[in-house]
Amino acid sequence: MILTVTLNAALDVTYFVDEVTPHASHRVTQPVERAGGKGINVARVLAALRHPVLATGLVGGTTGRILREDLRASGLKAALVPVRGESRKTITVVSERNGDATVFNPPGPHVDPQSWRAFTRRFAELAARADVVVLAGSLPPGLPCDSYAGLLATARDAGAVTVLDTSGAALLAALLAALDAGPDVIKPNAAEIREVTGRSDVADAAAELQARGARTVVASDGPQGLHAVTPEGRYRTLPPAQLRGNPTGAGDACVAALAAGLATGLPWPDLLRDAVALSAAAVSAPLAGDFRRDLYDQFRTTATVSVERPHAADSH
């Protein structure tokens, strides 16, 4: 079973407009609301791929009730823990003319110590049943930056492989944990990895974060594909084509592919090929958490997605 964790779950509201124009009024053609947040989006993709998956996280208030109902209606298995306050709503405005997405992310509800203790107890129970644990997204207010580090240690003690997709102080705190309790895989994007390392070269930044405590680093670089630093070597995986669409769910689809590949024991070249193919197929889908199955099946072939191994990874 793959367990996904979304500590800052959200009701994702997506507006589709012809084109985003500053200081202008826009006619929304297809407003959509549904449960989201990175871990929930990852769980949606995994469920569509027919992997056993369970979504957990923190939800509160009327928005939290809507989140629970939406997940129940979609058939996605969830074990959510209540928190005082109101879960957030995120707003994504997608320009149908060029595929650009503008995203507004509120901070989320304040998490009090009692709610956090309840969640960590529930998480320990769930992690004991999981083969892979995915921890994804931002930390809500009230949680210290080392919160993911504690969850990683719990998952590691339970024998699960861990995948972390977060940024900033939360990412650095997780890497500062003891090496034997650090994440097995981290998946920052190019902007996030440059922010925490100060390096402009994504591949070099990935190698630095591996040296800081991550066993494997997979950095997504949009149309430039994936840079991966693994125990077996460094890889560069290129997407099949430049695609137009909504890019907001591409990173979550990548994480889903990584989790699925780790659960099934895929070798890194095949796993990364799947990850870039699924990410590209997600760009062509209208909503985060979705992907186009026909494009995924097409892109994952060796003829359309190439994996390069430029040089061996440094030993640390």
Side-chain angles (χ1 to χ4, degrees):
M1 188 265 287
I2 299 172
L3 177 67
T4 74
V5 177
T6 312
L7 296 179
N8 209 0
L11 183 65
D12 284 344
V13 182
T14 304
Y15 296 128
F16 295 89
V17 300
D18 180 55
E19 187 173 18
V20 177
T21 304
H23 315 298
S25 177
H26 296 78
R27 185 177 298 276
V28 178
T29 57
Q30 303 175 53
V32 180
E33 294 186 357
R34 70 175 185 178
K38 281 184 172 294
I40 289 175
N41 292 338
V42 171
R44 286 188 188 276
V45 175
L46 288 167
L49 293 171
R50 301 188 180 278
H51 288 280
V53 61
L54 178 68
T56 189
L58 297 167
V59 296
T62 301
T63 305
R65 177 180 54 79
I66 295 172
L67 291 173
R68 290 178 184 273
E69 292 174 352
D70 180 76
L71 293 176
R72 189 179 303 113
S74 67
L76 188 63
K77 294 181 179 180
L80 300 171
V81 177
V83 63
R84 297 185 180 93
E86 193 76 24
S87 290
R88 61 187 181 142
K89 292 183 180 180
T90 65
I91 306 296
T92 301
V93 183
V94 179
S95 171
E96 295 188 288
R97 180 164 298 179
N98 56 24
D100 287 343
T102 302
V103 184
F104 300 88
N105 287 317
H110 185 275
V111 179
D112 60 274
Q114 181 180 354
S115 297
W116 181 239
R117 286 193 296 270
F119 176 79
T120 55
R121 289 194 297 269
R122 183 64 170 136
F123 173 76
E125 296 170 357
L126 298 174
R129 297 159 40 194
D131 299 299
V132 177
V133 173
V134 175
L135 304 148
S138 61
L139 295 176
L143 293 186
C145 64
D146 64 351
S147 297
Y148 275 137
L151 298 181
L152 286 165
T154 299
R156 175 63 62 87
D157 290 344
V161 176
T162 55
V163 181
L164 177 64
D165 182 11
T166 191
S167 59
L171 173 58
L172 291 176
L175 296 178
L176 285 172
L179 290 180
D180 60 353
D184 290 298
V185 180
I186 62 172
K187 206 295 297 172
N189 62 33
E192 292 164 346
I193 201 169
R194 288 173 177 138
E195 176 190 5
V196 297
T197 64
R199 291 178 178 267
S200 59
D201 184 89
V202 175
D204 289 345
E208 178 178 326
L209 290 189
Q210 187 193 47
R212 292 193 192 186
R215 180 173 173 80
T216 293
V217 182
V218 179
S220 56
D221 196 9
Q224 304 306 312
L226 301 177
H227 299 266
V229 183
T230 78
E232 288 76 29
R234 299 187 187 184
Y235 298 88
R236 173 76 180 280
T237 313
L238 303 174
Q242 300 293 321
L243 300 171
R244 292 177 55 187
N246 180 4
T248 56
D252 301 331
C254 178
V255 172
L258 294 174
L262 291 167
T264 56
L266 279 181
W268 277 110
D270 294 335
L271 193 158
L272 294 169
R273 185 176 292 111
D274 264 8
V276 77
L278 195 56
S279 298
V283 171
S284 298
L287 299 172
D290 291 343
F291 65 96
R292 282 186 52 183
R293 170 77 65 166
D294 59 329
L295 293 181
Y296 172 53
D297 291 338
Q298 174 188 343
F299 294 160
R300 63 197 296 212
T301 65
T302 56
T304 56
V305 180
S306 63
V307 178
E308 304 169 8
R309 189 174 182 179
H311 49 84
D314 299 332
S315 59
H316 301 290

